[in-house]
Amino acid sequence: MTVRILHADHVLPGDEPPIADAAVVVDEGGTVVEVGRAAEVLPHHAGAEVERVRGIVFPGLVNAHTHVELSAMRGKVPGGRGFVAWVDAMLGVRFEHSPEDDAEAIERAADDLVRCATVAVGDVTNSLAAVGALSRRGIGGWAFHEVFGQDREQVLRRVHGLHEELAARHPEWPTRDLAYAPAPHTLYTTHADAVRALVESALGRELRTSIHLAEHAGERRAIEHGDGPVVEWFERRTKQKPAWPKAPLFDHARDVGVLRPAVLLVHLTEARSDELARIAESGASVVLCPRSNLYIEAKLPPLHAVMKAGIEPALGTDSLASNASLDVLAEARALQERFPTVPAWELVRMATWNGARALGRTDLGRIHAGARPGIYAVQGDAGGDPAAFLLANVRAPRERLSHAFGRGRAAAEAPP
Ligand SMILES: [Zn+2]
């Protein structure tokens, strides 16, 4: 077996604290053979050539929530005025510009993902327009085919037609590395029966699925009281008058089946401590998108409460309609600036191993024997805290040292 041996000032394994003066051994397929202190690892491979890395070695990043198809909306939707103003402006721009038809913007965004060392995404899509751009670059994870609508018959027809749409548009897909699953949009834009059907459809096939949850106060008001700005907006926009549940938000979330393992709950900016405890108990995955929350509402996800509940959150950038870049490490950096007591390596874990687990891809997100995470490096003198150095140098070039995808072990192979 030919191996490649890297001897680095620091290895950030992703799932564990950093290791100083460390070595990583990978085989020619990119699978990690061994990682640990250089003094322990190197003697096992006496005589082999060793590459010296003056800097930090870390695993490929996982952006657990994004919408690559909206990339043409970069800079076009103003923020800072709250969710309803944002989503109204976003839909207006989307209607006018059809960002999913802008193949060039999608290709550029996929290149950016590669450039910032992203190996996997939880990509939410209505159009499947970014699937080719992601697949061609060996970016894995999930395309979550999102459905919304409060007209029960209409939206259930759409749910049941997803398979045909997929087969017609992408007969050669999903691949083993970039998997496909249906997903509801939110509890207030997707009929409760459709949410149930989508979750059953995904979980029944051992896929994962995703939903935006507790993103803003108007959402809670809509579900719990059936009034407020989100209800006004939704009814004005769609001319529909849904039967609002008028139940506690997380009781409703439980009743439609989203509080369970293999479901990614995205945002939780408005979730309270007791609700976070319920999520922790349910085993659902959590994805925080701090820069998007800051952009839209000037709010932050409750990171301390999330961690105190025992949740290990993943991070996502959301789309370029509410963010400046698709760099998930910049999310960790944004949290570091506002939650300085959280250890930097734990923030890096959110952008690597926690994301990999949220996507059900334990072969990614950590430099660990048997994993195939993609190995990257940032050069420089990292001092005493390499994770802090990595976050402080978010703009530094990330050099790819090993990458082997497209032949991967994936969570799912069968389309629904
Ligand atoms: Zn989103």
Side-chain angles (χ1 to χ4, degrees):
M1 180 176 65
T2 317
V3 295
R4 187 172 179 188
I5 303 173
L6 307 167
H7 177 189
D9 297 344
H10 301 274
V11 169
L12 263 174
D15 58 340
E16 304 268 352
I19 310 166
D21 193 27
V24 181
V25 182
V26 286
D27 71 13
E28 62 259 273
T31 299
V32 177
V33 176
E34 197 178 357
V35 59
R37 306 273 303 180
E40 287 161 30
V41 172
L42 295 180
H44 300 162
H45 306 272
E49 196 183 324
V50 177
E51 296 166 55
R52 190 71 174 89
V53 180
R54 304 284 176 188
I56 299 166
V57 164
F58 60 98
L61 305 176
V62 178
N63 185 344
H65 180 76
T66 185
H67 306 246
V68 177
E69 71 189 9
L70 301 182
S71 295
M73 299 178 82
R74 183 196 296 258
K76 291 203 170 84
V77 187
R81 295 178 296 147
F83 182 79
V84 168
W86 176 83
V87 75
D88 230 16
M90 192 274 281
L91 291 173
V93 174
R94 190 171 193 182
F95 183 74
E96 206 177 315
H97 294 275
S98 303
E100 51 281 332
D101 296 335
D102 190 336
E104 209 178 296
I106 289 170
E107 295 289 331
R108 216 164 34 235
D111 282 338
D112 283 346
L113 285 168
V114 169
R115 203 170 299 124
C116 55
T118 318
V119 297
V121 290
D123 186 42
V124 176
T125 173
N126 305 128
S127 68
L128 304 176
V131 163
L134 295 170
S135 291
R136 280 193 298 281
R137 287 164 180 82
I139 297 174
W142 291 92
F144 292 121
H145 201 178
E146 182 184 71
V147 173
F148 47 84
Q150 283 280 14
D151 179 324
R152 184 178 180 279
E153 306 313 317
Q154 199 180 10
V155 69
L156 283 174
R157 255 198 317 278
R158 168 118 175 89
V159 170
H160 295 127
L162 289 175
H163 175 63
E164 262 172 53
E165 186 184 337
L166 176 68
R169 294 205 44 197
H170 292 282
E172 77 297 351
W173 182 73
T175 58
R176 290 158 63 93
D177 209 43
L178 183 64
Y180 171 96
H185 174 233
T186 70
L187 295 178
Y188 58 95
T189 51
T190 311
H191 192 282
D193 288 347
V195 176
R196 284 189 196 96
L198 289 160
V199 173
E200 290 310 326
S201 166
L203 274 47
R205 292 174 171 84
E206 299 194 356
L207 309 174
R208 301 181 93 77
T209 190
S210 156
I211 186 167
H212 300 87
L213 183 62
E215 183 178 358
H216 44 81
E219 171 183 353
R220 181 187 296 282
R221 187 78 207 174
I223 298 297
E224 297 190 344
H225 300 278
D227 61 18
V230 160
V231 167
E232 282 162 32
W233 163 76
F234 187 85
E235 295 186 350
R236 168 169 52 83
R237 186 105 205 165
T238 64
K239 312 284 183 252
Q240 294 174 352
K241 283 215 168 283
W244 299 101
K246 298 188 182 172
L249 180 59
F250 280 81
D251 285 358
H252 183 60
R254 176 201 60 206
D255 292 347
V256 295
V258 301
L259 294 192
R260 56 215 262 200
V263 180
L264 280 70
L265 308 178
V266 181
H267 288 303
L268 300 172
T269 321
E270 283 290 324
R272 300 185 304 242
S273 296
D274 59 310
E275 296 167 334
L276 293 168
R278 288 174 76 173
I279 292 168
E281 202 179 321
S282 77
S285 296
V286 168
V287 185
L288 307 180
C289 305
R291 289 192 300 160
S292 176
N293 298 156
L294 286 166
Y295 185 87
I296 294 172
E297 301 237 2
K299 286 197 77 160
L300 277 169
L303 181 63
H304 288 311
V306 166
M307 293 175 74
K308 200 168 166 210
I311 294 167
E312 296 188 348
L315 298 178
T317 58
D318 226 344
S319 78
L320 290 177
S322 62
N323 208 338
S325 78
L326 299 183
D327 184 358
V328 71
L329 212 53
E331 303 299 324
R333 165 81 177 266
L335 291 176
Q336 187 199 30
E337 285 167 356
R338 293 158 181 92
F339 300 93
T341 58
V342 179
W345 78 266
E346 291 192 32
L347 297 168
V348 173
R349 181 170 63 177
M350 294 174 195
T352 53
W353 178 232
N354 291 0
R357 283 186 290 170
L359 299 185
R361 291 294 302 268
T362 50
D363 57 324
L364 304 178
R366 61 175 174 168
I367 299 176
H368 182 91
R372 186 158 46 186
I375 310 278
Y376 292 80
V378 166
Q379 308 284 340
D381 180 359
D385 186 343
F389 174 83
L390 185 62
L391 295 181
N393 290 279
V394 154
R395 288 171 198 283
R398 298 168 203 173
E399 182 191 348
R400 178 190 289 187
L401 299 180
S402 126
H403 195 65
F405 294 103
R407 309 180 291 131
R409 310 174 289 264
E413 291 177 37

